[in-house]
Amino acid sequence: MSPLPCVPSAQSGKQARGLHVITWGCQMNVYDSARMTDVLRPLGYRAVDAPDNADMIILNTCHIRDRAAEKVFSELGRLRLVKEARAQAGHKTVLAVAGCVAQAEGREILARAPYVDIVLGPQTYHRLPEMVARAARAAGAVIETDFPVEQKFDFLPPEREVPAGGAAFLTIQEGCDKFCSFCVVPYTRGAEASRPVNAVLEEARRLVAHGVKEITLLGQNVNAYHGEGPDGAIWGLARLTAELADGIGVARIRYTTSHPRDMDADLIAAHRDQRALMPFLHLPVQSGSDRVLAAMNRGHTAQEYRDLVTRLRAARPDLALSSDFIVGHPGETEDDFEQTMQLIRDVGFAQAYSFKYSPRPGTPASGAGGQVPEEVKDARLQKLQALLREQQDAFNAATVGRRVSVLFTGRGRKPGQISGKSPYLQAVHVDGPDSLIGQVAEVDIVKLYTNSLGGVLTGETGKA
Ligand code: SAH
Ligand code: SF4
Ligand code: F3S
């Protein structure tokens, strides 16, 4: 990420200090890391690439799967050495652990890693300046993992560092009340809450003014969005995306992650009516077996998911679908797994993420009977991923020979190459000038690579 010139530089009198943020986990953590940097900017902190040059290091963690805490402790061991080396050279380093592991295991972190100065949950980072001041004063560490009554978004600075490349994330909704059997998110991110419409529009307006073409709206259940509108009415996601496109001028809009239960008729119609909505939807189904879906507390059947896909494709025939899958949830039989394979064959996915079920402390599934042996999970995951890979390759192969709009987000790996994203979220590279980075242009797709497509610029600017 690179700062734009319009972001105010270090306030006069504030000495520049290095800040190094390490980000693990989902896009919401990527957004949070950027916003923590924004919160600390008025204190003189500037992002630096290496921890060795950093007066403050933030490790922004994820708790979603296996060994999350162990991974944190091993990284902290490494950062401790950095902190000690810097201390020997006469520099103080503030070490902070943020994110979902901090939320879930804050006390344990302080007990096992007493050299950590600050532990903060995802809902409290607007208070970072105060925590930094307290850490400087106090002998002990600072811990902030309560869910505060105030909404952190109301306290974040309006200016954001805008990523180069024309694409940005914007969190509009947080938390989750769905309590899927396997998932820690409701415990780490708290109750579901939506930001007011005006706050979202204002943040989007600034991004667009700084040249952003594509905004990905983020939320753990983003399509459950129900923000208070300026008219006092509650706006759903479809109304919000319409206003972002027509009122604010966002050229490309994506949203993630959606829950099938919240995919309402308005949002389906938006995929038909709103050209700015990109024809790609991440709609996790997790399993194709009704028995497992019920055990997971997902609140829908496999047939309901299939019907939803049919309605979405009727609205937007070229819609590319993506999903998350879990294999080996407690109680999953070979037959249940086969039903997941069948659902994948029936639906056809452009891409997907798949995981072995991993017991998370404190979640209902972790204590359930019928835990599936590791080697069975391994075998199922392999089969499932082979099928998904086939589908992804077929989807990408079908793009060869087509003309698509690409938002160029950066340089490619080879000199003279630039790369970006198709409307279907495929990585595309072409030979082209750096001046196209941050712009949308039309591309003829000519070649298929393992995880990307090669194309040729047509010379036309893109439609979106
Ligand atoms: N809110 C999203 C998911 C957020 S978590 C939704 O409901 O779809 C991202 C993905 O991680 C989930 O979709 C799930 O596939 C996976 N995941 C979550 N907890 C997991 C666990 N305990 N074991 C394995 N995978 C898990
Ligand atoms: Fe987790 Fe389920 Fe909530 Fe998604 S909907 S964040 S999987 S509890
Ligand atoms: Fe991980 Fe927390 Fe995101 S557990 S997936 S960083 S919400």
Side-chain angles (χ1 to χ4, degrees):
M1 298 203 181
S2 69
L4 283 183
C6 40
V7 172
S9 58
Q11 285 179 353
S12 53
K14 287 274 187 291
Q15 196 196 339
R17 290 185 267 193
L19 171 67
H20 183 68
V21 187
I22 301 165
T23 308
W24 294 339
C26 62
Q27 291 107 324
M28 302 198 59
N29 262 13
V30 175
Y31 177 88
D32 288 347
S33 288
R35 299 302 270 145
M36 285 192 270
T37 310
D38 294 333
V39 168
L40 291 168
R41 188 173 299 112
L43 274 67
Y45 284 100
R46 294 290 173 276
V48 293
D49 288 339
D52 317 69
N53 308 324
D55 302 281
M56 178 161 181
I57 302 170
I58 303 177
L59 179 59
N60 195 7
T61 60
C62 171
H63 204 230
I64 202 81
R65 276 173 294 272
D66 226 9
R67 290 190 284 276
E70 285 322 303
K71 199 173 151 204
V72 169
F73 286 113
S74 109
E75 182 70 5
L76 284 176
R78 189 180 76 88
L79 296 173
R80 174 192 201 165
L81 299 180
V82 173
K83 183 171 168 159
E84 283 170 359
R86 281 178 50 83
Q88 272 168 14
H91 304 297
K92 193 170 164 11
T93 314
V94 179
L95 181 54
V97 184
C100 292
V101 177
Q103 184 63 46
E105 313 215 9
R107 300 263 158 223
E108 167 92 4
I109 291 171
L110 289 186
R112 279 180 61 183
Y115 47 89
V116 167
D117 302 288
I118 298 173
V119 171
L120 70 154
Q123 306 304 335
T124 57
Y125 62 76
H126 56 293
R127 298 185 186 160
L128 256 172
E130 176 202 325
M131 292 181 223
V132 172
R134 269 163 55 206
R137 279 196 311 268
V142 175
I143 178 160
E144 286 264 5
T145 49
D146 290 342
F147 291 122
V149 281
E150 78 266 14
Q151 265 249 6
K152 71 172 176 237
F153 292 107
D154 296 342
F155 295 85
L156 295 177
E159 276 305 339
R160 296 182 42 175
E161 187 177 274
V162 179
F169 291 139
L170 201 175
T171 294
I172 63 168
Q173 179 278 341
E174 261 201 300
C176 182
D177 297 332
K178 293 204 165 64
F179 292 93
C180 298
S181 60
F182 51 82
C183 183
V184 288
V185 170
Y187 312 96
T188 63
R189 293 273 173 168
E192 208 267 307
S194 296
R195 292 177 71 186
V197 171
N198 267 348
V200 174
L201 297 181
E202 189 47 40
E203 195 168 329
R205 192 174 288 121
R206 286 169 190 267
L207 291 170
V208 170
H210 293 182
V212 166
K213 299 281 187 302
E214 176 179 301
I215 295 183
T216 302
L217 304 172
L218 298 180
Q220 266 92 17
N221 277 258
V222 73
N223 58 341
Y225 179 79
H226 59 281
E228 189 179 339
D231 50 359
I234 295 299
W235 289 33
L237 186 57
R239 189 162 174 200
L240 183 71
T241 55
E243 184 58 25
L244 284 167
D246 303 338
I248 309 291
V250 184
R252 290 175 149 211
I253 302 172
R254 304 178 187 274
Y255 58 92
T256 198
T257 293
S258 294
H259 194 293
R261 259 159 69 187
D262 296 315
M263 208 71 219
D264 64 16
D266 284 351
L267 196 50
I268 295 172
H271 280 279
R272 180 191 62 217
D273 301 334
Q274 298 180 20
R275 288 297 101 183
L277 262 192
M278 289 293 98
F280 177 93
L281 180 61
H282 183 63
L283 190 64
V285 64
Q286 315 295 356
S287 167
S289 150
D290 287 346
R291 247 174 38 82
V292 175
L293 286 168
M296 286 177 164
N297 192 30
R298 291 293 287 180
H300 64 82
T301 63
Q303 190 53 43
E304 280 163 350
Y305 185 85
R306 285 183 171 87
D307 292 346
L308 198 49
V309 169
T310 305
R311 287 167 64 205
L312 280 159
R313 286 188 168 145
R316 181 82 203 232
D318 66 335
L319 187 76
L321 282 167
S322 155
S323 176
D324 293 338
F325 294 94
I326 295 179
V327 298
H329 183 274
E332 185 189 74
T333 63
E334 210 49 47
D335 180 54
D336 293 320
F337 172 68
E338 188 39 52
Q339 290 181 41
T340 303
M341 294 290 279
Q342 192 53 46
L343 181 134
I344 296 172
R345 287 185 208 106
D346 293 346
V347 171
F349 290 93
Q351 67 153 72
Y353 301 92
S354 44
F355 314 99
K356 286 190 284 180
Y357 166 70
S358 150
R360 309 310 295 130
T363 59
S366 67
Q371 299 288 330
V372 176
E374 214 49 34
E375 59 278 13
V376 175
K377 289 188 210 169
D378 281 329
R380 287 181 189 166
L381 187 67
Q382 243 183 26
K383 265 183 152 172
L384 183 111
Q385 289 186 336
L387 176 59
L388 289 168
R389 178 85 234 176
E390 245 175 59
Q391 293 195 339
Q392 180 175 330
D393 291 347
F395 179 78
N396 286 340
T399 318
V400 176
R402 286 187 56 191
R403 178 166 293 189
V404 296
S405 294
V406 174
L407 170 64
F408 288 101
T409 50
R411 290 199 174 132
R413 255 172 296 171
K414 297 192 187 134
Q417 226 182 32
I418 51 175
S419 75
K421 291 185 284 179
S422 79
Y424 311 102
L425 211 60
Q426 296 149 300
V428 177
H429 8 254
V430 303
D431 286 333
D434 282 1
S435 58
L436 274 181
I437 293 173
Q439 306 297 323
V440 179
E442 294 292 299
V443 171
D444 285 331
I445 302 296
V446 295
K447 196 155 171 41
L448 175 69
Y449 299 102
T450 315
N451 287 310
S452 63
L453 298 166
V456 178
L457 289 166
T458 65
E460 284 173 73
T461 46
K463 297 174 205 61

